[in-house]
Amino acid sequence: MSTASGTVRVRIDGPDSRHTVLLLQGAGETADVFDAVCERLHNSDLRTVVPESIDSLDTAAVFALLDGLKLPWVHLAGSGAGAELAWAVAAGRFGRFASLVVADRGHPAVPDVDGAVRDASAAAAEVPTTVVIGSGARRAEAAGSMRYVTGEFRVVELDGIDNVPAQAPAEFASAIVLRTGSW
């Protein structure tokens, strides 16, 4: 798929479904990190789109990618740097995304686990949002993100997980599946 920042290779898989999930992995990771997550999403009747790498993606490139794939409405999920990109893409974009699920990253305006604020002026995400954290050390960051979400908000806390999609694919997939339901 071509975007203004170059060509982006994506994996599209799963059943034909009215629900598509765009998964954005961490910097330096390949789409493989989501293999077990995607398998579970496919078993839940969800289609997945995963870029091979997010290294050349920014918010404009994500929208160009979705437009090129003719996907006007998707569920958005990310981990690490992909979660940061997901927050940026979902910010102030009511109606384009059905839900947001991020792993180990709070909203950019909230101090992270090291006390750093990535973007104090970041807009709120206007979608139902779940923050999955692999450690209680990120609890304050996750809970503080609720102020920057205009939809329903949840935190899922796991214990002793360094890379949520790789080490807890069932839990991450479950958080995504729960967001695709209309309950």
Side-chain angles (χ1 to χ4, degrees), residues 1 8-14 20-23 25 29-36 38 42 47-53 65 69 71:
M1 184 61 49
V8 178
R9 292 179 45 111
V10 295
R11 294 181 187 181
I12 301 172
D13 204 358
T20 300
V21 181
L22 173 63
L23 295 139
Q25 67 274 28
E29 292 182 329
T30 65
D32 297 343
V33 74
F34 288 124
D35 284 352
C38 287
H42 301 158
R47 189 160 193 74
T48 57
V49 175
V50 186
E52 287 292 335
S53 168
L65 174 68
L69 294 172
L71 294 171

Side-chain angles (χ1 to χ4, degrees), residues 2-180:
S2 293
T3 68
S5 59
T7 301
V8 178
R9 292 179 45 111
V10 295
R11 294 181 187 181
I12 301 172
D13 204 358
D16 284 330
S17 171
R18 65 185 185 106
H19 293 285
T20 300
V21 181
L22 173 63
L23 295 139
L24 303 170
Q25 67 274 28
E29 292 182 329
T30 65
D32 297 343
V33 74
F34 288 124
D35 284 352
V37 173
C38 287
E39 180 182 345
R40 286 169 169 81
L41 295 177
H42 301 158
N43 289 336
S44 295
D45 199 33
L46 301 171
R47 189 160 193 74
T48 57
V49 175
V50 186
E52 287 292 335
S53 168
I54 66 158
D55 294 341
S56 65
L57 292 180
D58 58 13
T59 55
V62 170
F63 285 107
L65 174 68
L66 294 174
D67 290 344
L69 294 172
K70 298 184 181 356
L71 294 171
W73 187 74
V74 298
H75 299 274
L76 184 59
S79 174
E84 292 178 21
L85 180 57
W87 277 111
V89 169
R93 307 282 189 332
F94 180 76
R96 184 71 194 250
F97 301 99
S99 66
L100 173 65
V101 177
V102 293
D104 284 332
R105 290 295 190 278
H107 187 275
V110 175
D112 66 14
V113 70
D114 298 320
V117 174
R118 294 181 309 280
D119 183 359
S121 64
E126 298 184 14
V127 293
T129 300
T130 299
V131 179
V132 181
I133 54 175
S135 160
R138 290 195 175 270
R139 182 58 129 136
E141 176 185 2
S145 299
M146 185 166 73
R147 296 178 308 203
Y148 298 95
V149 173
T150 60
E152 195 269 334
F153 181 80
R154 293 183 202 141
V155 174
V156 175
E157 186 174 333
L158 307 173
D159 188 31
I161 304 295
D162 295 322
N163 184 322
V164 172
Q167 296 174 305
E171 292 83 348
F172 194 58
S174 292
I176 295 167
V177 169
L178 285 171
R179 284 290 174 206
T180 65

